[in-house]
Amino acid sequence: MNDNWIVKQTLSGVSQFDQSMVNSYPDSNEYLQNARAYLNTVGEVCNYVDASKKLDWAALLPQGADVLDLGCGGGWLTAMLSRVDSVKTVYALDSSQHFLHKLLPEVMTLMEGNAEKVVTLEALFQPLLFDGACLDAIVASSALHHADNLESVLKETRRALKPGGLLVILNETPRTGLRFLVSVFVASLRILRNLATRRYMPVSPSISSSGYLYDPDLGDRDYPSWYWLEALTRAGFAVETVMNTGMPTVKGSKGRPLIHFVCRAV
């Protein structure tokens, strides 16, 4: 038995994203508990899977690639990448025990992924317990906007990547500068209204020049496009492609399009 209290506290405090989803959005419990319903949500209700297929993974990933799926969730991207011939190993990392040990194995079966290539890791975004310059690629689908400090997490991914290694940030929805300013202004008015009316909230949205925490329960942050690019550059990446998929998160809606960033460690 490990008697290190720091280890125990860390393990006890690891965020279980699936439970936060259920607490904040009770309707999500149905698809988080059932692999078929989960795949229907990410692939049929939402455009996450279809948008990711716009990238030529076989061309992007080198032969014998060791890939980290950072914030893998239920593992649909892990399953997809495990089917790519050039991929040797996919490390599926998430903080949720339920995602890793219940949902992901079922998703792998339904998507006909290669389970022999997959290693599951229950962990946080940082520190990544990988040696420096050991990974060929890191992918993150609709995940990095949950980071407490975007640049810090990006620097940690840069450390773990080989020189020239690939970072693909998938399915984010950054606003243009002006649209972001308008959304922040509207949010500021709501925050001021709550203060003026003394509306008590255990946790609430917050705004700074480093982003807009619009969902404190799930840790969802909004950054403008320029902020993503600046953070990537400062973390040691060259941005090769910013792909506007033209697909909103929810099929048939008029929401912001899903954006992919394809980057190289320099």
Side-chain angles (χ1 to χ4, degrees):
M1 181 177 178
N2 194 322
D3 292 326
N4 188 319
W5 274 37
I6 294 177
V7 172
K8 289 181 180 179
Q9 287 175 315
T10 300
L11 291 173
S12 297
V14 168
S15 172
Q16 297 297 305
F17 180 79
D18 53 294
Q19 191 57 54
S20 297
M21 279 286 292
V22 172
N23 292 341
S24 302
Y25 305 96
D27 291 345
S28 68
N29 189 51
E30 180 180 354
Y31 71 81
L32 290 179
Q33 297 300 322
N34 183 282
R36 290 187 184 277
Y38 169 79
L39 285 177
N40 181 70
T41 298
V42 297
E44 301 300 327
V45 177
C46 297
N47 277 311
Y48 294 129
V49 176
D50 287 345
S52 299
K53 290 179 179 178
K54 283 184 170 284
L55 291 171
D56 186 350
W57 293 103
L60 284 171
L61 298 170
Q63 190 63 38
D66 290 321
V67 183
L68 170 63
D69 185 358
L70 188 60
C72 66
W76 64 267
L77 183 55
T78 293
M80 181 188 297
L81 295 177
S82 75
R83 301 198 306 255
V84 178
D85 290 338
S86 59
V87 171
K88 182 179 73 174
T89 307
V90 184
Y91 296 98
L93 184 152
D94 204 275
S95 68
S96 169
Q97 297 174 2
H98 171 72
F99 281 161
L100 291 177
H101 306 307
K102 171 66 168 60
L103 211 55
L104 187 145
E106 296 176 4
V107 167
M108 287 289 295
T109 299
L110 291 172
M111 292 186 66
E112 298 181 348
N114 187 342
E116 293 182 358
K117 292 184 179 182
V118 176
V119 177
T120 57
L121 302 171
E122 184 184 346
L124 301 173
F125 284 153
Q126 63 181 126
L128 295 175
L129 301 182
F130 289 92
D131 293 335
C134 70
L135 296 171
D136 297 288
I138 296 176
V139 300
S141 174
S142 192
L144 291 189
H145 64 267
H146 294 290
D148 292 336
N149 184 313
L150 181 60
E151 182 181 326
S152 178
V153 171
L154 290 173
K155 284 181 175 178
E156 183 66 352
T157 64
R158 172 64 187 84
R159 181 194 64 79
L161 281 170
K162 296 175 182 177
L166 181 71
L167 172 66
V168 183
I169 301 171
L170 298 158
N171 298 328
E172 296 290 353
T173 55
R175 298 180 190 269
T176 61
L178 181 58
R179 288 181 180 274
F180 181 78
L181 285 175
V182 171
S183 70
V184 167
F185 177 73
V186 173
S188 300
L189 294 179
R190 293 196 190 101
I191 291 172
L192 289 172
R193 178 198 62 194
N194 291 339
L195 287 171
T197 59
R198 296 188 178 184
R199 181 185 177 190
Y200 174 80
M201 302 177 71
V203 291
S204 65
S206 60
I207 297 169
S208 74
S209 57
S210 299
Y212 167 32
L213 178 64
Y214 62 91
D215 190 335
D217 292 312
L218 300 182
D220 286 332
R221 288 172 170 79
D222 200 1
Y223 305 103
S225 300
W226 68 264
Y227 190 91
W228 280 97
L229 297 174
E230 183 70 18
L232 284 162
T233 300
R234 289 174 179 267
F237 289 98
V239 180
E240 293 186 346
T241 305
V242 179
M243 178 185 288
N244 184 334
T245 67
M247 298 178 174
T249 298
V250 177
K251 292 185 177 182
S253 72
K254 295 182 179 180
R256 287 179 276 171
L258 296 170
I259 304 294
H260 304 332
F261 298 89
V262 180
C263 316
R264 294 282 176 186
V266 295

